[in-house]
């Protein structure tokens, strides 16, 4: 199974993306901003590493000690540990992980409003759907990969 995360917009307050599985759009996503250093201090972001590098990563399901439930985890992400797909609403809810959901405002709103904070809703629902799909594929012995790319305009 191939999951594709296409980063569609970088803002000062987070990275917006689109998650597809085998070519079908499943939901949108929020990740940290790709910036480092003083951005962390200004924003309250948990990590100064920003979003994870573009590339291909294996994905499996494991129990998250932090969240107390099974969640998708990305394998062998350079410079990061414990990168998961989990529920959250803004960049403040992640230290590099991918937050699935539906955008609260159209993407152009975030493109035009400099200080707008990209926000998703229905994140817990989308997390559950993704976890179920990935868990089913793993159970059938399928290899699951995520490809992270950039599709900005």
């Amino acid at each position: 199974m191939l999951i594709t995360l296409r980063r569609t917009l970088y803002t000062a307050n987070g990275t917006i993306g689109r998650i597809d599985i085998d070519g079908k759009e499943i939901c949108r996503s929020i990740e940290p901003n790709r910036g480092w250093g003083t951005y962390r201090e200004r924003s309250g972001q948990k990590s100064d590493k920003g979003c994870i590098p573009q590339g291909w990563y294996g994905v499996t399901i494991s129990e998250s000690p932090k969240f107390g439930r099974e969640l998708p985890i990305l394998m062998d992400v350079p410079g990061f540990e414990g990168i998961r797909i989990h529920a959250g609403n803004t960049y403040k809810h992640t230290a590099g992980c991918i937050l699935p959901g539906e955008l609260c405002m159209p993407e152009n709103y975030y493109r035009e409003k400099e200080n707008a904070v990209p926000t998703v809703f229905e994140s817990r629902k989308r997390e559950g759907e993704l976890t179920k799909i990935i868990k089913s594929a793993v159970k059938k012995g399928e290899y699951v990969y995520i490809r992270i790319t950039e599709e900005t305009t």
Side-chain angles (χ1 to χ4, degrees):
M1 172 192 304
L2 176 61
I3 303 165
T4 304
L5 169 56
R6 287 181 178 85
R7 292 176 176 149
T8 57
L9 180 64
Y10 292 98
T11 78
N13 296 307
T15 301
I16 297 173
R18 185 177 71 235
I19 297 175
D20 301 341
I21 294 182
D22 294 331
K24 179 184 173 196
E25 184 172 329
I26 301 298
C27 62
R28 302 304 300 261
S29 67
I30 300 292
E31 296 176 89
N33 181 284
R34 63 179 165 183
W36 291 268
T38 58
Y39 172 78
R40 176 183 185 211
E41 295 156 16
R42 179 174 58 81
S43 69
Q45 188 168 324
K46 296 177 188 176
S47 170
D48 60 359
K49 293 182 181 180
C51 50
I52 65 174
Q54 294 181 56
W56 292 73
Y57 305 101
V59 179
T60 193
I61 299 288
S62 69
E63 183 76 19
S64 167
K66 179 178 179 179
F67 293 101
R69 60 186 180 272
E70 289 187 320
L71 291 171
I73 186 166
L74 282 63
M75 312 305 292
D76 303 318
V77 179
F80 291 82
E81 288 183 28
I83 296 296
R84 294 195 180 267
I85 299 173
H86 67 80
N89 301 109
T90 72
Y91 70 93
K92 290 183 179 182
H93 301 141
T94 177
C97 296
I98 299 164
L99 309 178
E102 299 304 323
L103 288 176
C104 288
M105 300 295 286
E107 190 169 306
N108 281 339
Y109 173 83
Y110 300 111
R111 191 179 314 277
E112 295 166 4
K113 303 286 185 184
E114 185 178 324
N115 293 319
V117 176
T119 305
V120 291
F121 65 99
E122 292 193 349
S123 191
R124 184 65 70 109
K125 179 180 176 183
R126 298 295 181 234
E127 172 200 292
E129 292 169 353
L130 286 166
T131 300
K132 184 178 177 181
I133 292 167
I134 295 166
K135 191 173 185 177
S136 174
V138 169
K139 197 177 225 182
K140 289 189 255 181
E142 292 182 39
Y143 291 104
V144 180
Y145 297 95
I146 187 167
R147 177 177 173 239
I148 300 176
T149 66
E150 192 171 292
E151 186 183 282
T152 59
T153 55

